[in-house]
Amino acid sequence: MRHGFVKVAAATPKIKVADTVYNTEQIRLLMTESAAWGARITVFPELCITAYSCGDLFLQETLLREAKTALIAVAEQTKELDALLFVGLPYEHLGKLYNVAAAIN
């Protein structure tokens, strides 16, 4: 923080539909870059872990499980960053599907 201000970034990774491994790597590259530029908060797009246009795949347990695994991987990769990140993913809870933004620090 400098003079009471916090640098904030919006990042848009190049993603592939339903390819959580590739998307996680793209998120990792941008979160590292934004932190290197001094951003303390970085916001990624809605559903960036899976892509927005997955259609019926959002109802597949495999995609939802992979999205959670990817979220954990992104969180692990942020251990060395002094930053707050927001990433989007589909999340199933108690039989309902949600479009969430996960905050990671």
Side-chain angles (χ1 to χ4, degrees):
M1 187 178 316
R2 184 178 168 121
H3 304 293
F5 293 96
V6 174
K7 191 176 278 191
V8 177
T12 304
K14 295 177 182 173
I15 58 173
K16 295 180 181 179
V17 174
D19 190 341
T20 59
V21 173
Y22 176 85
N23 298 344
T24 300
E25 178 60 19
Q26 297 305 304
I27 291 166
R28 185 194 64 76
L29 290 171
L30 287 178
M31 71 184 190
T32 303
E33 184 179 345
S34 68
W37 280 93
R40 298 288 302 273
I41 300 171
T42 303
V43 179
F44 288 87
E46 181 178 18
L47 296 171
C48 64
I49 288 179
T50 59
Y52 198 88
S53 58
C54 287
D56 289 344
L57 292 177
F58 285 127
L59 304 175
Q60 299 294 319
E61 186 177 320
T62 301
L63 181 66
L64 298 175
R65 184 177 54 251
E66 288 178 5
K68 288 179 190 177
T69 300
L71 176 62
I72 293 167
V74 171
E76 287 291 322
Q77 295 165 353
T78 63
K79 284 183 177 181
E80 303 302 318
L81 298 179
D82 184 21
L84 174 61
L85 306 163
F86 293 91
V87 296
L89 71 151
Y91 189 81
E92 185 272 328
H93 181 70
L94 299 176
K96 292 188 178 184
L97 185 60
Y98 297 93
N99 177 349
V100 302
I104 303 169
N105 175 261

